[in-house]
Amino acid sequence: DAGVTQSPTHLIKTRGQQVTLRCSPKSGHDTVSWYQQALGQGPQFIFQYYEEEERQRGNFPDRFSGHQFPNYSSELNVNALLLGDSALYLCASSFLQRSYNEQFFGPGTRLTVL
Amino acid sequence: AQTVTQSQPEMSVQEAETVTLSCTYDTSESNYYLFWYKQPPSRQMILVIRQEAYKQQNATENRFSVNFQKAAKSFSLKISDSQLGDTAMYFCAFMKPGAGNMLTFGGGTRLMVKP
């Protein structure tokens, strides 16, 4: 079992550009959540995808969007990048239908906006 | 909305000693989960221990145990017999059942275990 995988590992962009980050969930999982972790801070919930739909969303602007594919993998897209978008982006997967849904995290994608 | 606060940005402990990390939270919910996650320097977040709010018994996982005080909304993590591999960021997190799997994290405590 490969666990949760994310790509790329690191990414450097300039202000105003657009970026796409990718996540493959742990085998057997159907739900993907995305978190933003600024340097020295705790992760903040961006949104969650289940059955190819956005189910929950945190306090993030519409510049942040996502997608979930039939194989449960997911993408996070950020448009019109700002310097403040520089962060570690974490993907977490789980199986929604269980009464307790442990989330498994990927290693993250480090995004630097110059 | 829930909030989670970790008041100790950094802590250090000698190898083999015991250390306690603090966490307080605010919620109006009566049923919820609390977690401690570990994020080593390699970045991948892993679950250390979880506590269900309706259970009065404190959770224990090997060298890790919690002190859950529901009325005080306090949830501390005790690490016994600290090991060098325990060096990491530790995050306290809250989850409300039925809200999917959304976790609300505290700001973290950086723990350094010294030889």
Side-chain angles (χ1 to χ4, degrees):
Chain A
D1 184 359
V4 181
T5 60
Q6 292 185 244
S7 63
T9 304
H10 295 89
L11 205 52
I12 299 175
K13 292 286 188 178
T14 57
R15 280 177 295 176
Q17 284 190 313
Q18 178 265 344
V19 68
T20 297
L21 310 181
R22 296 176 176 84
C23 171
S24 290
K26 181 179 169 65
S27 178
H29 285 181
D30 58 7
T31 303
V32 173
S33 300
W34 288 92
Y35 293 82
Q36 180 194 65
Q37 185 178 13
L39 193 63
Q41 298 183 23
Q44 287 194 302
F45 176 77
I46 302 174
F47 45 52
Q48 177 190 85
Y49 276 84
Y50 171 67
E51 291 188 335
E52 302 180 46
E53 290 187 8
E54 183 182 296
R55 297 288 173 159
Q56 288 194 87
R57 189 178 185 91
N59 188 26
F60 279 80
D62 292 345
R63 298 187 297 109
F64 290 76
S65 64
H67 188 77
Q68 186 179 36
F69 299 94
N71 67 353
Y72 307 117
S73 67
S74 177
E75 289 182 349
L76 163 65
N77 300 292
V78 187
N79 295 321
L81 284 167
L82 304 174
L83 295 179
D85 295 332
S86 295
L88 181 67
Y89 287 85
L90 298 171
C91 167
S93 74
S94 60
F95 184 63
L96 191 65
Q97 296 305 317
R98 291 183 182 155
S99 58
Y100 164 63
N101 308 300
E102 179 177 344
Q103 293 200 52
F104 290 80
F105 284 84
T109 294
R110 171 73 63 189
L111 173 64
T112 301
V113 182
L114 301 176
Chain B
Q2 287 70 229
T3 59
V4 179
T5 302
Q6 295 178 247
S7 59
Q8 305 152 314
E10 294 188 5
M11 295 191 71
S12 64
V13 63
Q14 293 296 130
E15 197 175 6
E17 293 188 345
T18 296
V19 64
T20 298
L21 280 56
S22 300
C23 172
T24 57
Y25 59 95
D26 188 24
T27 183
S28 58
E29 304 291 334
S30 58
N31 188 28
Y32 47 87
Y33 292 101
L34 293 166
F35 306 88
W36 279 97
Y37 279 89
K38 171 184 178 182
Q39 189 177 42
S42 61
R43 301 179 307 181
Q44 194 143 8
M45 191 94 70
I46 56 174
L47 179 65
V48 174
I49 197 166
R50 82 170 192 267
Q51 175 78 42
E52 292 147 33
Y54 65 87
K55 291 187 176 180
Q56 293 187 348
Q57 185 172 6
N58 289 322
T60 299
E61 289 287 343
N62 301 313
R63 298 183 295 107
F64 300 87
S65 61
V66 298
N67 183 4
F68 173 48
Q69 301 289 329
K70 192 173 183 179
K73 295 180 181 175
S74 170
F75 183 61
S76 60
L77 174 69
K78 185 172 82 171
I79 306 174
S80 304
D81 186 26
S82 296
Q83 301 176 359
L84 296 178
D86 295 334
T87 292
M89 284 291 292
Y90 286 82
F91 294 98
C92 178
F94 174 102
M95 185 177 80
K96 182 176 78 171
N101 308 310
M102 187 183 84
L103 290 163
T104 301
F105 286 89
T109 296
R110 183 178 303 278
L111 176 67
M112 174 74 71
V113 180
K114 298 179 178 179

Short mmCIF file of all heavy atoms in Angstrom, two decimals, chain B residues 5 8 10 14 21 25-26 45 47 59-61 65 67 69-70 79 81 95 98 108-110 115:
data_model
loop_
_atom_site.label_atom_id
_atom_site.label_comp_id
_atom_site.label_asym_id
_atom_site.label_seq_id
_atom_site.Cartn_x
_atom_site.Cartn_y
_atom_site.Cartn_z
N THR B 5 -6.03 25.75 20.67
CA THR B 5 -4.90 26.59 21.06
C THR B 5 -3.80 25.74 21.71
O THR B 5 -4.06 24.97 22.64
CB THR B 5 -5.35 27.67 22.06
OG1 THR B 5 -6.38 28.46 21.47
CG2 THR B 5 -4.18 28.59 22.42
N GLN B 8 2.35 26.42 23.89
CA GLN B 8 3.79 26.20 23.99
C GLN B 8 4.38 26.07 22.58
O GLN B 8 4.32 25.00 21.99
CB GLN B 8 4.08 24.91 24.78
CG GLN B 8 3.44 24.87 26.15
CD GLN B 8 3.16 23.43 26.58
OE1 GLN B 8 2.63 22.63 25.82
NE2 GLN B 8 3.51 23.09 27.82
N GLU B 10 7.48 26.01 21.61
CA GLU B 10 8.65 25.12 21.59
C GLU B 10 8.85 24.51 22.97
O GLU B 10 8.64 25.16 23.99
CB GLU B 10 9.91 25.89 21.18
CG GLU B 10 9.91 26.40 19.77
CD GLU B 10 11.25 26.99 19.37
OE1 GLU B 10 12.19 26.90 20.18
OE2 GLU B 10 11.36 27.54 18.27
N GLN B 14 15.03 15.98 27.78
CA GLN B 14 16.16 15.06 27.69
C GLN B 14 15.64 13.67 27.35
O GLN B 14 14.55 13.26 27.78
CB GLN B 14 16.93 15.01 29.01
CG GLN B 14 17.67 16.29 29.38
CD GLN B 14 18.75 16.63 28.38
OE1 GLN B 14 18.84 17.75 27.90
NE2 GLN B 14 19.60 15.65 28.08
N LEU B 21 2.72 18.08 26.64
CA LEU B 21 2.35 19.16 25.71
C LEU B 21 0.89 19.55 25.99
O LEU B 21 0.03 18.67 26.14
CB LEU B 21 2.49 18.69 24.26
CG LEU B 21 3.89 18.69 23.64
CD1 LEU B 21 4.87 17.86 24.44
CD2 LEU B 21 3.81 18.20 22.20
N TYR B 25 -9.16 23.84 23.84
CA TYR B 25 -10.03 24.00 22.69
C TYR B 25 -11.33 24.64 23.14
O TYR B 25 -11.65 24.68 24.33
CB TYR B 25 -10.29 22.65 22.01
CG TYR B 25 -10.92 21.63 22.92
CD1 TYR B 25 -12.29 21.44 22.94
CD2 TYR B 25 -10.13 20.86 23.78
CE1 TYR B 25 -12.87 20.52 23.78
CE2 TYR B 25 -10.70 19.93 24.63
CZ TYR B 25 -12.07 19.76 24.63
OH TYR B 25 -12.64 18.86 25.49
N ASP B 26 -12.04 25.16 22.16
CA ASP B 26 -13.32 25.79 22.47
C ASP B 26 -14.36 25.23 21.50
O ASP B 26 -14.15 25.27 20.28
CB ASP B 26 -13.22 27.30 22.34
CG ASP B 26 -14.47 28.00 22.84
OD1 ASP B 26 -15.18 27.41 23.66
OD2 ASP B 26 -14.73 29.14 22.40
N MET B 45 2.57 13.97 8.13
CA MET B 45 1.79 14.01 9.37
C MET B 45 1.28 12.62 9.71
O MET B 45 0.72 11.93 8.85
CB MET B 45 0.60 14.94 9.17
CG MET B 45 -0.15 15.31 10.41
SD MET B 45 0.42 16.85 11.10
CE MET B 45 -0.16 17.98 9.86
N LEU B 47 -0.82 10.18 12.80
CA LEU B 47 -1.65 10.22 13.99
C LEU B 47 -0.92 9.56 15.15
O LEU B 47 -0.41 8.46 15.02
CB LEU B 47 -2.97 9.49 13.71
CG LEU B 47 -3.95 9.41 14.88
CD1 LEU B 47 -4.44 10.80 15.27
CD2 LEU B 47 -5.13 8.51 14.52
N ALA B 59 -7.07 8.08 26.69
CA ALA B 59 -6.46 7.18 25.71
C ALA B 59 -4.97 7.00 25.99
O ALA B 59 -4.30 7.92 26.47
CB ALA B 59 -6.67 7.74 24.30
N THR B 60 -4.48 5.82 25.65
CA THR B 60 -3.06 5.49 25.81
C THR B 60 -2.60 4.69 24.60
O THR B 60 -3.33 3.80 24.15
CB THR B 60 -2.83 4.66 27.08
OG1 THR B 60 -3.24 5.43 28.23
CG2 THR B 60 -1.36 4.32 27.24
N GLU B 61 -1.44 5.04 24.09
CA GLU B 61 -0.81 4.30 23.00
C GLU B 61 0.67 4.18 23.32
O GLU B 61 1.46 5.09 23.06
CB GLU B 61 -0.99 5.03 21.66
CG GLU B 61 -2.37 5.03 21.09
CD GLU B 61 -2.79 3.67 20.53
OE1 GLU B 61 -1.89 2.82 20.29
OE2 GLU B 61 -3.99 3.45 20.33
N SER B 65 0.23 9.13 26.13
CA SER B 65 -1.05 9.13 26.83
C SER B 65 -1.59 10.55 26.87
O SER B 65 -0.84 11.52 26.69
CB SER B 65 -0.90 8.56 28.24
OG SER B 65 -0.02 9.36 29.00
N ASN B 67 -4.32 13.44 28.82
CA ASN B 67 -5.11 13.85 29.98
C ASN B 67 -6.26 14.70 29.43
O ASN B 67 -6.06 15.86 29.06
CB ASN B 67 -4.26 14.64 30.98
CG ASN B 67 -5.06 15.00 32.22
OD1 ASN B 67 -6.23 14.60 32.39
ND2 ASN B 67 -4.44 15.75 33.12
N GLN B 69 -9.63 16.58 29.90
CA GLN B 69 -10.48 17.23 30.90
C GLN B 69 -11.60 17.95 30.14
O GLN B 69 -11.43 19.10 29.70
CB GLN B 69 -9.66 18.23 31.73
CG GLN B 69 -8.49 17.61 32.47
CD GLN B 69 -8.94 16.73 33.62
OE1 GLN B 69 -9.97 16.97 34.25
NE2 GLN B 69 -8.15 15.69 33.89
N LYS B 70 -12.75 17.26 29.97
CA LYS B 70 -13.80 17.79 29.11
C LYS B 70 -14.37 19.10 29.63
O LYS B 70 -14.61 20.02 28.87
CB LYS B 70 -14.92 16.75 28.96
CG LYS B 70 -15.92 17.10 27.87
CD LYS B 70 -16.91 15.97 27.64
CE LYS B 70 -17.84 16.31 26.49
NZ LYS B 70 -18.80 15.20 26.22
N ILE B 79 4.35 12.34 26.86
CA ILE B 79 5.27 11.40 26.21
C ILE B 79 6.24 10.91 27.28
O ILE B 79 6.99 11.70 27.87
CB ILE B 79 6.05 12.07 25.05
CG1 ILE B 79 5.07 12.71 24.07
CG2 ILE B 79 6.93 11.05 24.36
CD1 ILE B 79 5.76 13.51 22.96
N ASP B 81 9.43 8.34 28.59
CA ASP B 81 10.64 7.73 28.04
C ASP B 81 10.95 8.31 26.66
O ASP B 81 11.06 7.59 25.66
CB ASP B 81 10.47 6.21 27.97
CG ASP B 81 11.73 5.49 27.54
OD1 ASP B 81 12.83 6.04 27.76
OD2 ASP B 81 11.62 4.39 26.95
N MET B 95 -12.18 17.34 15.76
CA MET B 95 -13.08 16.95 14.68
C MET B 95 -14.47 16.71 15.22
O MET B 95 -14.64 16.03 16.24
CB MET B 95 -12.59 15.69 13.98
CG MET B 95 -13.42 15.30 12.76
SD MET B 95 -12.79 13.86 11.90
CE MET B 95 -13.40 12.54 12.90
N GLY B 98 -19.87 13.75 11.88
CA GLY B 98 -20.94 14.19 11.00
C GLY B 98 -20.56 15.37 10.14
O GLY B 98 -21.32 15.78 9.28
N GLY B 108 0.55 24.27 16.89
CA GLY B 108 1.66 23.34 16.98
C GLY B 108 2.64 23.65 18.10
O GLY B 108 2.77 24.80 18.55
N THR B 109 3.32 22.61 18.53
CA THR B 109 4.42 22.72 19.50
C THR B 109 5.61 21.98 18.91
O THR B 109 5.51 20.81 18.56
CB THR B 109 4.06 22.09 20.86
OG1 THR B 109 2.99 22.81 21.45
CG2 THR B 109 5.26 22.08 21.80
N ARG B 110 6.74 22.69 18.83
CA ARG B 110 7.96 22.05 18.33
C ARG B 110 8.67 21.40 19.50
O ARG B 110 9.07 22.08 20.46
CB ARG B 110 8.87 23.08 17.66
CG ARG B 110 10.13 22.47 17.05
CD ARG B 110 10.97 23.55 16.37
NE ARG B 110 10.24 24.27 15.35
CZ ARG B 110 10.05 23.84 14.10
NH1 ARG B 110 10.56 22.68 13.74
NH2 ARG B 110 9.37 24.56 13.25
N PRO B 115 19.88 14.43 23.40
CA PRO B 115 20.58 13.23 23.89
C PRO B 115 21.28 13.49 25.21
O PRO B 115 21.53 14.64 25.58
CB PRO B 115 21.59 12.94 22.76
CG PRO B 115 21.77 14.23 22.08
CD PRO B 115 20.48 14.99 22.19
#
